[in-house]
Amino acid sequence: MVSFLIRRVFYAIIMLILVSFISFLIINLPAGDFMDQKIAELEARGDKSAVARVEDYRVRYGLDKPMLTQYWIWISNFVRGDFGLSFQFERPVKELIGQRLTLSILLSLTTLTITWLIAIPLGVYSAVNQYSIGDQVITTIAFIGIGLPGFLLALLVLYVAIVILNQDVVGLFSREFQDAPWSLAKIWDLLKHLWVPALIGAVTGTAGTIRIMRGNLLDTLGQPFIEAARARGLKSRRVIWKHAVRMAITPLVIILGTEAFPGILAGNILVEVVLGLPTIGPLYINALTTQDMFMAGTVLVLIVFLLLVGNLITDLVLAWIDPRVRLE
Amino acid sequence: MSEITDDVLVSIRNLRIRFDVRDGIVNAVDGANFTIRRGKTLGVIGESGCGKSMTAKAIMNMVPKPGVMTGEVTLYKRHVENGSQVVEEIRIDQLDKDGEEIRNIRGGVITMIFQEPMSSLTPVFTAGLHIMEAVKLHRFLPIESIGDTMTRNIQKKREVSPEEAREIAIDMLQKVGLPNAAQRVDSYPHQLSGGQRQRVMIAIALSTHPELLIADEPTTALDVSIEAQILDLMRELQETVDMAILFITHNMGVIAEMADEMVVMYMGKEVEEGSVVDIFENPKHPYTRLLLASIPEIGEKKRELATIKGMTPSPFNLPTGCVFHPRCPDFMPGKCDVVKPLLATVAKNQNARCLMYDPCWPNTAEAQAVKAKA
Ligand SMILES: Nc1ncnc2c1ncn2[C@@H]1O[C@H](COP(=O)(O)OP(=O)(O)OP(=O)(O)O)[C@@H](O)[C@H]1O
Ligand code: SF4
Ligand SMILES: [Mg+2]
């Protein structure tokens, strides 16, 4: 098990290096980088000191050097915790990402918890009572949920909340708390805002999760070991939860690692943009469109990092659930 | 086979199981009647799809949806009350399918082992956990007898503790001949071979001291040599405990080795029943004869084994008259395809469902005519 872990971590590091390199390349690919643009703009305005400042950045981050050297400077700073400068805001990337990262993680965890708390019981109910009225209602709602894009739902919620109910649901904080230091009142304000995007995310996520849970559980319930467990006189509930769900939940755990973790940063960008959330998503989109390379590169590497961490956690959880995975 | 006597453990009367499916109605079991006796082995034989497993499930009230079961399944459960033995009649077919009473019977009074040892154990549980789960539900240990011998029979019972359950698990695994039982108790199913898994299944089934063990083709998926070992094991274990076995198979050789009495099934009905000795010596039904002719005998040089021509008919399109008639070597035209044979007594304690033995039929004018023609 330990050697298995070490091997996985080793692969993950190699993967991370590769991805960071490729993302760096891609971000730098378009002709004329952010710097050229900025300098042209500043020169046109005749802002001499600003031009000098930007030239200074160019030298500091080796932007006049060959690509490989640029990458090396960036990545070696990166591992030391210096993610570079956002040229657009002229502030360190780390500073800009900091609080947004916390909020992104908080939002995702809330969404995920709501999703699973709703989806797993409904999926189990649906499978156990296949073709019952309840199953059909759940299935219909699930299909609507799968078809309904999250941003559309967000727009609908905005419309209802602002136009009809006259409620403030945009963002994650009320105006008075926006820049206030953390306090109990601010946390309470955050929670009051958080449930809207969390619920929107959960509605769209729940639908798919219900379908997956239902399908897998139906497969598992048809297996001989389920009948054998019943024949041992176990309660139906125990057979379903201890023998069947435990087997049927594996794909959800895999999704947790491959979608939910990387999704923390970029899972629901459209909804986040529509609701104007101070999370990573909108920042990332902005960085990509303005070629703010260090900002975009940092978020991309963080996404991949989360993906790899997610995979690692998935492997561990799977090994815990299913002994057959443990040996390999 | 007959009147309810003292030694009857389970009696099945007019059992029918039907499935309403899109293509029509399948009568998986079509009026079966038989009796399982205490401590004896009843063999049930028949081709694939003739309703053997469904009958077994009916005894546990576990007919899967959308199957509908009618008829009677009665368990004569023995227990001690006020120092004397009483027999309680339980109509299994009328119990709530997930109720406490049937759950106490399933896995406690009646246990079952299955055809697929590879997939009958939950992959995420160790062999030991399976046994412990059953033992915790169904085995009770006496608490120190209270009072003197007079009250010996009003003993209090308690559930086994986790440690005792584990001991029982190891002990059972030893009994079924699993090498290194003390370590194997913690093995997961995928770490065991097919034969070992079937041994574990047997250990689970016997750990609760059942009165009836239903073995549904327990060796079909195993190698011949492993099959022989498992059969030996089952016979040995049966001798040490007072337990009846319902042994389902499609192999006459296995019936000969294991069973005292036998039932031959065809398309959801029993076509012949009686003691194994009688039927092997003197099979009456043409189908039984064909099954017997298809057993290879040891030491015999390549003889053409008799095969049964044709296939079992589609359940949606059953032949008229005797359902066996398209495949029957003794087919009597004009009769077998018209009249449905009833189960008739053909010898002492031996019944067959064939118009040749129908008490009314051989004496009729048509019978004489058919005979004359033949
Ligand atoms: N869910 C179902 N829907 C419809 N028909 C079914 C269903 N389950 C079983 N059957 C029918 O019941 C019949 C009897 O099945 P059963 O499993 O008892 O056969 P069997 O004698 O045990 O055969 P085998 O030797 O292959 O195990 C089959 O012919 C099958 O068509
Ligand atoms: S009734 Fe006729 S067809 Fe059926 S088994 Fe007897 S002889 Fe054969
Ligand atoms: Mg079967």
Side-chain angles (χ1 to χ4, degrees):
Chain A
M1 196 67 211
V2 175
S3 81
F4 164 82
L5 254 182
I6 292 175
R7 218 169 45 229
R8 293 312 297 249
V9 171
F10 178 69
Y11 287 143
I13 290 173
I14 292 184
M15 196 66 195
L16 210 54
I17 293 173
L18 267 176
V19 170
S20 69
F21 184 67
I22 292 172
S23 43
F24 192 80
L25 278 188
I26 293 174
I27 291 166
N28 273 305
L29 218 51
D33 61 17
F34 188 81
M35 284 303 175
D36 296 334
Q37 259 182 352
K38 190 112 184 172
I39 287 177
E41 197 183 298
L42 291 173
E43 270 173 351
R45 263 198 266 146
D47 189 341
K48 281 274 155 52
S49 71
V51 172
R53 209 169 63 235
V54 172
E55 281 297 342
D56 181 44
Y57 295 150
R58 206 193 265 276
V59 176
R60 214 165 97 208
Y61 292 101
L63 297 187
D64 44 358
K65 306 247 172 59
M67 186 74 89
L68 268 178
T69 324
Q70 280 187 38
Y71 171 72
W72 178 248
I73 294 174
W74 177 60
I75 201 70
S76 45
N77 283 335
F78 197 101
V79 292
R80 267 183 250 125
D82 174 7
F83 301 157
L85 199 71
S86 160
F87 296 131
Q88 195 189 2
F89 300 101
E90 296 193 31
R91 278 169 64 194
V93 169
K94 201 171 168 182
E95 219 175 81
L96 289 168
I97 285 185
Q99 182 183 329
R100 284 175 175 254
L101 189 61
T102 320
L103 291 176
S104 274
I105 292 175
L106 189 65
L107 176 60
S108 307
L109 287 184
T110 315
T111 310
L112 192 72
T113 313
I114 298 179
T115 308
W116 280 36
L117 280 183
I118 300 175
I120 293 180
L122 286 187
V124 171
Y125 175 88
S126 233
V128 172
N129 302 290
Q130 193 189 8
Y131 303 136
S132 69
I133 307 248
D135 174 33
Q136 278 161 12
V137 170
I138 292 170
T139 303
T140 312
I141 294 177
F143 273 121
I144 295 173
I146 290 173
L148 189 71
F151 74 88
L152 190 64
L153 194 60
L155 284 174
L156 283 175
V157 169
L158 277 190
Y159 177 80
V160 172
I162 295 173
V163 179
I164 300 180
L165 300 176
N166 197 17
Q167 287 279 315
D168 160 37
V169 292
V170 179
L172 284 178
F173 299 104
S174 311
R175 189 156 304 131
E176 63 265 33
F177 287 109
Q178 205 111 59
D179 297 308
W182 283 102
S183 63
L184 271 185
K186 183 167 179 172
I187 292 176
W188 177 239
D189 184 57
L190 171 64
L191 289 180
K192 276 200 297 194
H193 283 81
L194 190 65
W195 68 269
V196 177
L199 208 61
I200 291 172
V203 165
T204 45
T206 302
T209 314
I210 291 178
R211 294 303 294 170
I212 295 170
M213 192 66 220
R214 179 183 185 270
N216 284 307
L217 190 56
L218 277 177
D219 277 354
T220 312
L221 285 175
Q223 300 269 327
F225 65 80
I226 294 298
E227 187 166 56
R230 287 229 161 86
R232 255 174 273 140
L234 304 188
K235 272 203 182 106
S236 210
R237 201 161 8 108
R238 189 182 162 92
V239 174
I240 289 166
W241 288 98
K242 289 262 165 158
H243 289 256
V245 172
R246 177 140 177 216
M247 296 291 298
I249 211 158
T250 338
L252 288 191
V253 175
I254 293 174
I255 289 176
L256 184 71
T258 54
E259 283 177 29
F261 263 82
I264 288 178
L265 296 190
N268 246 331
I269 291 186
L270 284 179
V271 173
E272 288 169 27
V273 170
V274 168
L275 292 179
L277 304 186
T279 48
I280 298 281
L283 197 67
Y284 180 46
I285 289 284
N286 180 281
L288 285 176
T289 49
T290 57
Q291 284 195 25
D292 192 350
M293 51 187 277
F294 288 147
M295 174 68 90
T298 304
V299 176
L300 200 57
V301 170
L302 283 182
I303 290 176
V304 175
F305 177 72
L306 284 175
L307 176 68
L308 294 172
V309 169
N311 279 347
L312 202 62
I313 293 181
T314 305
D315 285 338
L316 290 177
V317 174
L318 284 184
W320 173 65
I321 293 181
D322 190 342
R324 289 169 299 181
V325 181
R326 270 173 233 171
L327 292 175
E328 287 132 36
Chain B
M1 272 176 324
S2 69
E3 66 291 348
I4 303 296
T5 53
D6 229 19
D7 63 342
V8 173
L9 179 59
V10 172
S11 116
I12 292 171
R13 291 287 159 262
N14 210 9
L15 178 69
R16 283 170 207 278
I17 297 169
R18 53 177 250 174
F19 288 89
D20 263 312
V21 287
R22 201 178 310 153
D23 301 329
I25 292 174
V26 182
N27 288 305
V29 179
D30 194 13
N33 287 282
F34 54 84
T35 305
I36 302 167
R37 289 170 202 287
R38 279 177 206 287
K40 293 277 195 277
T41 300
L42 174 68
V44 175
I45 186 167
E47 277 163 296
S48 193
C50 70
K52 306 184 293 293
S53 298
M54 282 302 149
T55 309
K57 284 170 195 169
I59 297 175
M60 293 224 164
N61 198 354
M62 277 177 48
V63 172
K65 278 189 234 171
V68 179
M69 153 178 158
T70 58
E72 294 172 24
V73 177
T74 316
L75 169 70
Y76 296 87
K77 190 176 154 193
R78 245 189 218 164
H79 56 95
V80 178
E81 213 173 83
N82 297 330
S84 59
Q85 258 197 359
V86 294
V87 174
E88 188 188 354
E89 264 187 53
I90 303 173
R91 278 288 295 278
I92 288 187
D93 56 289
Q94 295 185 338
L95 296 180
D96 169 14
K97 274 185 144 189
D98 198 38
E100 193 176 346
E101 199 170 0
I102 190 68
R103 279 189 281 111
N104 286 336
I105 294 172
R106 280 183 206 144
V109 185
I110 307 176
T111 57
M112 189 158 177
I113 53 181
F114 297 86
Q115 186 166 352
E116 304 94 356
M118 302 316 264
S119 49
S120 297
L121 292 165
T122 306
V124 295
F125 291 131
T126 60
L129 278 174
H130 282 88
I131 303 177
M132 287 154 70
E133 200 178 43
V135 164
K136 269 187 217 144
L137 275 178
H138 301 293
R139 242 202 32 221
F140 299 93
L141 299 174
I143 299 178
E144 292 286 305
S145 21
I146 18 179
D148 49 42
T149 31
M150 283 290 288
T151 49
R152 177 62 53 76
N153 288 315
I154 330 173
Q155 283 175 336
K156 284 215 167 154
K157 305 227 170 164
R158 62 170 174 86
E159 287 181 23
V160 297
S161 67
E163 297 75 38
E164 287 164 338
R166 190 179 160 86
E167 262 166 48
I168 294 176
I170 295 174
D171 181 52
M172 282 315 297
L173 291 176
Q174 233 149 22
K175 280 211 177 95
V176 297
L178 205 66
N180 270 335
Q183 277 108 56
R184 284 306 201 180
V185 72
D186 294 319
S187 293
Y188 286 95
H190 71 276
Q191 296 167 320
L192 303 169
S193 70
Q196 287 173 331
R197 288 184 211 186
Q198 202 57 298
R199 283 177 198 268
V200 172
M201 289 301 293
I202 295 173
I204 301 170
L206 297 192
S207 65
T208 57
H209 298 166
E211 293 188 55
L212 171 62
L213 170 67
I214 301 177
D216 188 356
E217 308 199 37
T219 54
T220 306
L222 303 176
D223 292 347
V224 184
S225 60
I226 309 285
E227 168 169 40
Q229 290 173 14
I230 296 284
L231 293 180
D232 284 346
L233 172 70
M234 290 183 66
R235 261 197 328 242
E236 267 167 43
L237 290 174
Q238 191 186 15
E239 272 164 29
T240 61
V241 291
D242 182 28
M243 171 183 80
I245 299 181
L246 178 69
F247 202 104
I248 296 174
T249 175
H250 52 243
N251 183 334
M252 271 290 191
V254 172
I255 292 268
E257 204 172 323
M258 300 296 296
D260 305 305
E261 291 182 322
M262 65 186 284
V263 171
V264 183
M265 283 184 77
Y266 188 77
M267 297 308 290
K269 286 189 169 72
E270 69 272 42
V271 293
E272 182 155 9
E273 58 186 16
S275 81
V276 172
V277 176
D278 291 346
I279 291 184
F280 270 64
E281 244 162 43
N282 203 350
K284 300 290 189 189
H285 197 281
Y287 181 60
T288 318
R289 291 183 185 158
L290 286 172
L291 286 176
L292 279 171
S294 63
I295 318 179
E297 269 166 48
I298 298 170
E300 195 174 11
K301 285 256 156 64
K302 271 221 177 146
R303 169 180 65 111
E304 277 298 304
L305 287 181
T307 48
I308 307 176
K309 70 173 182 189
M311 293 199 305
T312 48
S314 149
F316 304 115
N317 191 12
L318 286 178
T320 54
C322 170
V323 285
F324 187 56
H325 85 249
R327 307 170 74 187
C328 182
D330 302 312
F331 171 59
M332 298 172 285
K335 205 65 215 175
C336 292
D337 47 357
V338 181
V339 183
K340 277 193 196 306
L342 299 174
L343 204 61
T345 305
V346 290
K348 186 162 176 285
N349 290 331
Q350 189 174 350
N351 303 325
R353 190 188 297 275
C354 169
L355 291 172
M356 293 195 289
Y357 311 103
D358 200 323
C360 322
W361 162 240
N363 308 321
T364 55
E366 293 119 302
Q368 306 301 336
V370 171
K371 241 185 214 155
K373 245 192 252 166

